[in-house]
Amino acid sequence: MALTVASLHIYPIKSLGGFSVKESRTTERGFEHDRRWMLVDGNGRFISQREAAAMACLHCTPLENGFRVTDLRDGATIDLPWSINSGEQQRAMVWSDAVSVLPASAGISAWFAQKLDAPCTLVFMPEESLRSIDPTYANGITSLSDGFPYLIVSQASLDDLNERITCSRSPGGGERIPMDRFRPNIVIAGGSAFQEDGWKEVSIGDARFSLVKPCARCAVPTIDQRTGEMGKEPTRTLATYRRRVTEAGAVKVEFGMNAMGTALRPIQVDDPVTP
């Protein structure tokens, strides 16, 4: 079976629910509009579902000149532009990276603080703010993602995982995990489970990507992206066959491949994929 693009996904605000698109423009730092906004605490440190699982209930949908955030719990909404270009720049932290950002209005941040029941500020990464990726793996920049511009996953990898969960006799066996738990940008149809592990480069339509690092998974895939409730799957099952111990002794459970764009062209669903 030929490999093709199954779906494309954009997450305007880091750690909030994203949306799928039929076509997207690729940029050096990721898909256009992907993870250019994020929520930070009083110290300027990024907030994610790891600390605030309720973020899973806030979902973004595109509008003509921006996007809407909807709280799935009560239907409340707030509309935001794709970007802002005014305000006093401030410093925010994504892991150990200091990033220059612009704050949204106090009213917008207050809406998110009420939804998360915690003080926070919504900030935007302007075009002139450049954040380098880890040079251990590649040279380039990224947005406010955890570390790399793109995440590529094969649908066959998720199918394999769900088959293992379904066959499990442990409590929770039979639960099927949707792809949105893994927050990919590009999902590949066809081929075999975890084929992406062995890809160094891949062409998608007229674009090309370099796959630079397996994605080590945190607790986020265990969070239901509709309710914010946390369970044990898929990490429990993944750990039985996707566990790796690094030379430093750290335990990683891996699913999907982080990637960089090396030939930046628009890509769309059903584009051919050639490793």
Side-chain angles (χ1 to χ4, degrees):
M1 179 180 177
L3 304 179
T4 60
V5 173
S7 58
L8 303 171
H9 305 270
I10 294 172
Y11 310 89
I13 302 179
K14 182 178 180 63
S15 220
L16 266 59
F19 55 84
S20 60
V21 294
K22 293 295 185 182
E23 181 178 4
S24 183
R25 188 171 74 88
T26 60
T27 77
E28 188 179 3
R29 71 179 88 205
F31 280 150
E32 185 177 32
H33 307 311
D34 188 53
R35 283 170 277 216
R36 298 296 292 272
W37 293 88
M38 70 177 176
L39 291 163
V40 299
D41 64 17
N43 296 317
R45 184 185 182 278
F46 81 100
I47 304 171
S48 77
Q49 291 182 33
R50 302 170 185 89
E51 305 84 35
M55 294 175 76
C57 302
L58 304 179
H59 283 228
C60 302
T61 53
L63 302 172
E64 183 176 358
N65 295 309
F67 61 100
R68 173 168 294 162
V69 179
T70 302
D71 188 337
L72 300 185
R73 298 168 295 184
D74 60 10
T77 64
I78 190 168
D79 292 350
L80 296 167
W82 289 125
S83 64
I84 56 175
N85 55 19
S86 61
E88 184 177 351
Q89 291 205 5
Q90 60 189 52
R91 186 175 109 153
M93 298 298 297
V94 182
W95 299 114
S96 60
D97 295 336
V99 184
S100 180
V101 294
L102 296 171
S105 70
I108 290 173
S109 291
W111 188 91
F112 285 96
Q114 189 272 327
K115 291 300 175 184
L116 300 183
D117 193 26
C120 61
T121 300
L122 184 68
V123 298
F124 174 75
M125 181 188 206
E127 202 65 28
E128 61 270 22
S129 179
L130 302 178
R131 177 183 170 221
S132 297
I133 64 166
D134 187 339
T136 303
Y137 301 99
N139 294 314
I141 61 172
T142 188
S143 60
L144 299 170
S145 63
D146 269 358
F148 296 88
Y150 298 93
L151 178 64
I152 298 176
V153 177
S154 290
Q155 179 63 45
S157 303
L158 181 62
D159 294 343
D160 177 88
L161 169 60
N162 276 321
E163 181 65 23
R164 293 171 188 263
I165 293 174
T166 299
C167 294
S168 170
R169 296 185 180 182
S170 60
E175 176 187 4
R176 294 190 66 82
I177 302 299
M179 186 64 84
D180 64 3
R181 296 277 193 100
F182 296 99
R183 304 178 64 79
N185 294 112
I186 303 169
V187 179
I188 306 299
S192 57
F194 302 105
Q195 60 193 339
E196 59 271 29
D197 289 357
W199 294 348
K200 299 299 183 185
E201 292 189 330
V202 63
S203 294
I204 301 179
D206 294 326
R208 192 157 185 83
F209 299 84
S210 175
L211 284 70
V212 298
K213 182 183 179 294
C215 184
R217 310 311 308 210
C218 60
V220 171
T222 67
I223 300 172
D224 187 306
Q225 297 296 298
R226 299 295 180 273
T227 66
E229 295 178 358
M230 182 178 292
K232 294 185 177 180
E233 295 291 6
T235 302
R236 176 170 53 190
T237 297
L238 275 175
T240 66
Y241 72 116
R242 296 289 298 173
R243 182 176 178 271
R244 181 177 65 88
V245 180
T246 68
E247 293 181 0
V251 177
K252 306 289 187 181
V253 177
E254 298 171 342
F255 189 93
M257 288 292 291
N258 291 299
M260 309 286 297
T262 55
L264 302 175
R265 304 287 188 277
I267 65 173
Q268 57 187 8
V269 172
D270 295 329
D271 269 350
V273 176
T274 307

